[in-house]
Amino acid sequence: QIFTQHNAEAPNLEQAFHRMAQMEPNLDHDVSWFLLPSYWAKMVVALISFLCFANSYDGDFVFDDSEAIINNKDLRAETPLGDLWYHDFWGSKLSSNTSHKSYRPLTVLTFRINYLFAGGFYPVGFHVINIILHCTISVLMVDVFSILLGGLQFSNKGRRLNLAPKSSLLAALLFAVHPVHTECVAGIVGRADLLCALFFLLSFLGYCKAFREIMAFFILTGKEGHTFSVFWVLVSVVLGAIAMLCKEQGITILGLNAVFDALVINKLNLLELIRKLLYKDKSLENAGLFRKGLLFRITLLMCGGASILYIRWRIMGTGPPAFTEVDNPASFADSLFVRAINYNYYYSLNAWLLLCPWWLCFDWSMGCIPLIKSVSDWRIIALAALWFCLIGLICQALCSEDSHKRRILTLGLGFLIIPFLPASNLFFRVGFVVAERVIYLPSIGYCILFTYGFSLLSKQAKKKKILAVAVLGILLINVMRCALRSSQWRSEEQLFRSALSVCPLNAKVHYNVGKNLADKGNQSAAIKYYREAVRLNPKYVHAMNNLGNILKERNELHEAEELLSLAVQIQPDFAAAWMNLGIVQNSLRRFEEAEQSYWTAIKHRKKYPDCYYNLGRLYADLNRHIDALNAWRNATVLKPEHSLAWNNMIILLDNTGNLAQAEAVGREALELIPNDHSLMFSLANVLGKSQKYKESEALFLKAIKANPNAASYHGNLAVLYHRWGNLDLAKKRYEVSLKLDPTAPGTKENYNLLRRKLEQLQKKGS
């Protein structure tokens, strides 16, 4: 501590603090807004942020959740925890050429904890954590905005003073209810942004704690203090590193801490500093550059940031992520002019989403935003409007004689622009056109600028209450929009269909609607959307593959072959399309071509059990039994739970009279998949032929218990009883089988034989 005081002097100290606080310009004087105690303000913000997104708590896993959570092996207990540090967000190795290099191990760790506590993939727990995180962040925003809008002041007891309670409450409410945050809160994958924001804010608040002694000393003595806490500066760097391990944007807090230090702690006048630098003025120290240890702290921040980036670079490797033209078409444009003009248009769209978050979409790629290719495109107006506003704000932030105005505008622009830089395409190519999730942190700057603009209007307005009611109306509309949008995120069907009106030119939207319909068995409707996706993007190989698959199942083989052939022509390493093309060629009885297609698929995807399974079926059709068995064995090695491959091996060995080998394979399969009734059925048939009637009966009964409506199970058990001599039991099972499937010819014939035999036995007995 710099100072100590006796209790008798405490009132004088408090008076000194309040006098100094009143000397600072106070934004709250101009804000026509209600005043709440700090505790109640935070309770209100928490409650309203909860109400906005509460209806998403029981939503499904949607969109990217499948890849990041359900199909991510890093969530499973059998995956070593250490693997999280060498895998990307989607569970792929960072060293892989196909990795997106999104390194967020701490976010994946929270998913893993969710999975372990829930005992499986139950989305409720995942959604609840997201909602709690957003509520916590919104509450922290009250403190953050009180510093950004009211300045940093401490009492003699080291307690930070909130000099802008009304403004900070308004800004926090604006942040809490902004509809553009829905993707981060209602989409489970958005947890990366939420965790990043949480540690981002904690890093900022930790950095502010480093200056308690400086600010207190200055208020008491009126002199400049030079003592600050190196410990809290280092804590801030560590929290920034944690934020980055949740999502890449987190590293930007170190730059913002430096900006805050310069503007708020050192009260640096950027315009004055620029002038002194340009004219090589020797009085740079008077400009505030070296006062209060600023240079030392910025050096600490820079060294910390460089170390974090170097470690991350070493872990993830030097190769850039692999994105395609459909992910970010502007970045693949040959012309520098086209790239620059479209990047700026994307910035204007992000700004518009902050100002008017009505048109929201889960994906803005694939034709959703056509490229601007000439200056005659009317969308150039959006770029002009964006830069007109930005340049005006920057000029005010630099040139205004009002230091309070300069500070707020510069901080607002800093928090708006700096966290957005990783998504700007300026330093590296990103895998999206516009993404609502990346605006979560930049919206802090928007809320600062909105609140400051509201204060200026309140200062000039004659009817302040009307203005306050208008802002309340905006908040209410945003709450309703959040509730509506979060309900759309509850299921994939609602989410995908909501995008049709926003991005009708987006091929991926039509593809996802079609896929959702196909998964529900509505193939006719799915075909329509897949065709539209291919029409909008003639190189959309995934839509071609899925459409070809459906046409194959509907026996429209020639069109299916055309689509799949085109898909592999466009993307020669598309293994799934090669396999599906092989299935179609097999159905068309072009066996050599089918075999070639299967092997091409395996060449591009070494571990492809389904392709080995289909290759085995081809060999079985060609009576190449050994090749078929080898192919199915490969499928089961790669995927031990591949029931169809096991079944086909058992049936083929059974049909070729290799009962002992068939029995061995069946027992091996049941050890790996003990509850598979189809395997029980196949092995029971083999055991029956081997005259192991008791064991065969037990397996048949177990299979029937698992699937009581399978007519063949009852029919084959009846055959077993027939052979075994239990004719009455055989008769009952035949009757059950025929009741379930009256058209089964073999069962009906066996049943008639049994009836004749029973009649003969009755005649002999009589």
Side-chain angles (χ1 to χ4, degrees):
Q1 288 281 355
I2 290 177
F3 58 89
T4 57
Q5 292 291 339
H6 298 294
N7 291 337
E9 297 178 353
N12 292 332
L13 283 174
E14 291 295 335
Q15 289 174 10
F17 279 107
H18 285 295
R19 279 198 303 272
M20 292 302 296
Q22 288 170 1
M23 289 171 63
E24 287 284 324
N26 195 331
L27 194 66
D28 272 19
H29 290 312
D30 303 323
V31 173
S32 54
W33 193 251
F34 51 86
L35 178 64
L36 289 175
S38 178
Y39 176 79
W40 282 105
K42 291 178 180 180
M43 288 290 289
V44 167
V45 170
L47 177 62
I48 292 178
S49 61
F50 174 77
L51 291 174
C52 285
F53 303 104
N55 64 344
S56 69
Y57 87 97
D58 60 346
D60 299 329
F61 292 113
V62 297
F63 195 39
D64 286 339
D65 296 344
S66 297
E67 287 301 313
I69 297 170
I70 297 173
N71 298 330
N72 191 343
K73 292 181 180 178
D74 286 342
L75 270 64
R76 313 269 170 73
E78 58 268 21
T79 303
L81 269 175
D83 286 6
L84 269 63
W85 300 96
Y86 300 99
H87 291 175
D88 65 18
F89 187 54
W90 314 97
S92 301
K93 289 184 179 179
L94 283 166
S95 57
S96 169
N97 292 332
T98 58
S99 172
H100 281 197
K101 309 294 183 183
S102 46
Y103 187 58
R104 304 164 193 173
L106 295 184
T107 303
V108 178
L109 180 61
T110 66
F111 289 153
R112 181 168 173 144
I113 293 169
N114 252 132
Y115 172 78
L116 292 175
F117 272 95
F121 292 113
Y122 302 103
V124 172
F126 290 86
H127 282 295
V128 168
I129 294 297
N130 274 27
I131 295 168
I132 291 171
L133 281 171
H134 178 66
C135 292
T136 304
I137 291 162
S138 299
V139 168
L140 281 176
M141 283 296 178
V142 177
D143 290 329
V144 170
F145 284 129
S146 71
I147 297 169
L148 296 174
L149 296 169
L152 186 62
Q153 299 288 355
F154 292 91
S155 71
N156 66 319
K157 296 179 181 178
R159 185 174 61 85
R160 190 182 56 78
L161 300 172
N162 185 352
L163 302 180
K166 292 193 288 184
S167 303
S168 58
L169 173 59
L170 172 58
L173 285 172
L174 282 167
F175 179 88
V177 305
H178 205 297
V180 84
H181 296 161
T182 311
E183 180 176 353
C184 294
V185 185
I188 298 170
V189 167
R191 185 177 300 177
D193 300 88
L194 297 173
L195 287 170
C196 174
L198 177 64
F199 290 104
F200 182 98
L201 299 180
L202 291 175
S203 174
F204 175 75
L205 293 172
Y207 196 78
C208 292
K209 282 193 175 185
F211 304 106
R212 279 183 296 191
E213 295 178 355
I214 288 182
M215 304 305 294
F217 183 78
F218 176 72
I219 289 178
L220 284 171
T221 65
K223 299 177 182 178
E224 298 289 351
H226 297 278
T227 303
F228 62 92
S229 172
V230 175
F231 170 77
W232 278 108
V233 174
L234 293 176
V235 166
S236 175
V237 172
V238 171
L239 289 168
I242 294 172
M244 191 194 72
L245 291 174
C246 296
K247 192 174 181 182
E248 295 75 10
Q249 278 178 299
I251 193 68
T252 59
I253 187 56
L254 302 183
L256 284 166
N257 284 341
V259 171
F260 175 81
D261 196 339
L263 294 177
V264 177
I265 307 303
N266 284 267
K267 297 180 169 56
L268 199 64
N269 187 328
L270 293 178
L271 187 61
E272 180 186 345
L273 178 62
I274 292 168
R275 286 173 179 167
K276 287 179 180 290
L277 286 169
L278 288 174
Y279 293 106
K280 299 180 180 178
D281 196 321
K282 295 181 180 180
S283 60
L284 275 173
E285 187 176 344
N286 295 331
L289 187 60
F290 302 104
R291 288 182 293 176
K292 303 179 188 175
L294 173 62
L295 194 60
F296 176 69
R297 291 191 297 275
I298 288 180
T299 302
L300 280 179
L301 291 172
M302 288 178 64
C303 290
S307 301
I308 294 165
L309 290 173
Y310 175 74
I311 293 168
R312 187 184 190 280
W313 175 75
R314 287 299 301 269
I315 292 172
M316 69 177 281
T318 56
F323 297 118
T324 61
E325 186 174 351
V326 294
D327 296 319
N328 186 355
S331 65
F332 286 85
D334 295 328
S335 167
L336 179 62
F337 167 77
V338 172
R339 288 202 300 273
I341 205 167
N342 280 282
Y343 288 161
N344 280 276
Y345 181 60
Y346 298 161
Y347 306 155
S348 67
L349 287 175
N350 281 282
W352 181 248
L353 287 175
L354 286 172
L355 289 169
C356 183
W358 196 255
W359 293 276
L360 300 175
C361 184
F362 72 93
D363 186 275
W364 295 81
S365 64
M366 282 203 181
C368 188
I369 306 170
L371 287 178
I372 297 174
K373 296 182 179 179
S374 71
V375 291
S376 60
D377 195 312
W378 67 268
R379 289 175 292 170
I380 293 288
I381 298 169
L383 280 70
L386 172 69
W387 282 106
F388 177 79
C389 294
L390 279 179
I391 291 169
L393 288 169
I394 291 168
C395 289
Q396 288 293 309
L398 291 175
C399 305
S400 175
E401 294 180 1
D402 184 349
S403 62
H404 184 60
K405 183 178 184 179
R406 288 201 310 269
R407 175 174 63 81
I408 290 181
L409 288 179
T410 307
L411 287 173
L413 287 169
F415 274 84
L416 180 69
I417 294 169
I418 293 175
F420 184 74
L421 289 176
S424 65
N425 286 290
L426 292 177
F427 305 108
F428 46 80
R429 177 185 291 155
V430 298
F432 52 84
V433 176
V434 173
E436 293 156 22
R437 58 189 176 275
V438 303
I439 316 177
Y440 194 84
L441 284 173
S443 65
I444 299 172
Y446 161 77
C447 294
I448 294 171
L449 296 173
F450 185 99
T451 303
Y452 185 66
F454 175 64
S455 74
L456 294 180
L457 286 175
S458 297
K459 189 175 183 179
Q460 297 175 1
K462 293 181 180 179
K463 297 182 178 179
K464 299 181 186 295
K465 288 185 179 179
I466 294 176
L467 193 60
V469 169
V471 172
L472 277 172
I474 291 172
L475 291 174
L476 181 61
I477 291 169
N478 279 358
V479 169
M480 295 169 64
R481 179 67 177 128
C482 283
L484 173 64
R485 184 63 180 155
S486 59
S487 69
Q488 291 172 343
W489 272 87
R490 285 164 53 88
S491 70
E492 287 194 332
E493 182 179 6
Q494 294 180 74
L495 179 65
F496 297 154
R497 287 191 178 278
S498 70
L500 288 172
S501 58
V502 180
C503 282
L505 299 179
N506 188 337
K508 190 182 283 188
V509 169
H510 292 274
Y511 167 82
N512 279 294
V513 173
K515 187 174 183 300
N516 183 258
L517 289 166
D519 291 342
K520 292 181 176 180
N522 190 349
Q523 292 188 339
S524 299
I527 287 173
K528 184 182 91 171
Y529 285 101
Y530 281 142
R531 288 194 191 280
E532 181 64 9
V534 174
R535 187 189 70 80
L536 290 169
N537 184 355
K539 294 184 178 181
Y540 198 174
V541 291
H542 291 284
M544 292 176 190
N545 178 58
N546 285 19
L547 177 56
N549 237 340
I550 291 179
L551 293 173
K552 173 193 71 181
E553 291 173 13
R554 293 163 70 96
N555 209 35
E556 298 177 31
L557 299 177
H558 292 289
E559 187 182 357
E561 184 183 21
E562 288 177 13
L563 282 164
L564 293 166
S565 297
L566 181 59
V568 296
Q569 186 180 340
I570 295 168
Q571 187 178 325
D573 63 348
F574 192 3
W578 277 112
M579 183 188 75
N580 289 324
L581 178 59
I583 295 171
V584 171
Q585 290 166 337
N586 191 11
S587 300
L588 291 168
R589 306 190 66 77
R590 297 213 300 273
F591 300 122
E592 289 185 12
E593 293 176 43
E595 182 181 7
Q596 186 61 43
S597 295
Y598 287 140
W599 281 116
T600 306
I602 292 167
K603 173 187 169 186
H604 293 300
R605 189 190 296 179
K606 305 296 182 187
K607 297 179 179 180
Y608 204 173
D610 288 340
C611 195
Y612 276 113
Y613 165 72
N614 283 299
L615 180 62
R617 289 186 60 188
L618 169 68
Y619 288 145
D621 290 341
L622 295 173
N623 292 320
R624 292 166 59 178
H625 296 156
I626 294 175
D627 290 334
L629 290 169
N630 287 335
W632 289 328
R633 175 57 74 176
N634 284 333
T636 59
V637 168
L638 293 171
K639 186 180 178 182
E641 67 277 13
H642 203 304
S643 174
L644 289 173
W646 285 115
N647 250 316
N648 279 22
M649 275 196 284
I650 298 167
I651 292 167
L652 179 59
L653 290 167
D654 182 2
N655 291 341
T656 53
N658 296 307
L659 295 181
Q661 196 176 348
E663 181 181 340
V665 170
R667 293 187 188 280
E668 182 185 355
L670 273 178
E671 282 184 17
L672 293 167
I673 323 171
N675 297 318
D676 191 303
H677 56 81
S678 62
L679 289 175
M680 297 174 197
F681 173 70
S682 297
L683 180 55
N685 284 326
V686 173
L687 292 170
K689 289 180 182 178
S690 301
Q691 297 184 356
K692 296 180 180 180
Y693 298 131
K694 198 70 181 173
E695 197 175 355
S696 176
E697 177 194 28
L699 277 174
F700 272 129
L701 291 172
K702 199 173 178 182
I704 288 168
K705 186 177 179 182
N707 188 15
N709 295 321
S712 59
Y713 289 11
H714 294 278
N716 282 30
L717 177 57
V719 171
L720 176 75
Y721 285 139
H722 199 157
R723 287 178 182 166
W724 199 358
N726 295 330
L727 303 183
D728 291 332
L729 289 174
K731 182 173 180 292
K732 289 178 183 178
R733 290 294 171 180
Y734 279 135
E735 288 170 353
V736 173
S737 179
L738 288 169
K739 187 176 180 182
L740 291 169
D741 183 11
T743 61
T747 305
K748 198 166 186 179
E749 186 179 336
N750 287 335
Y751 179 59
N752 290 332
L753 286 172
L754 177 64
R755 284 181 62 187
R756 284 197 293 271
K757 189 172 184 179
L758 286 171
E759 287 172 2
Q760 289 172 2
L761 289 172
Q762 283 178 350
K763 287 178 182 178
K764 286 180 182 179
S766 61

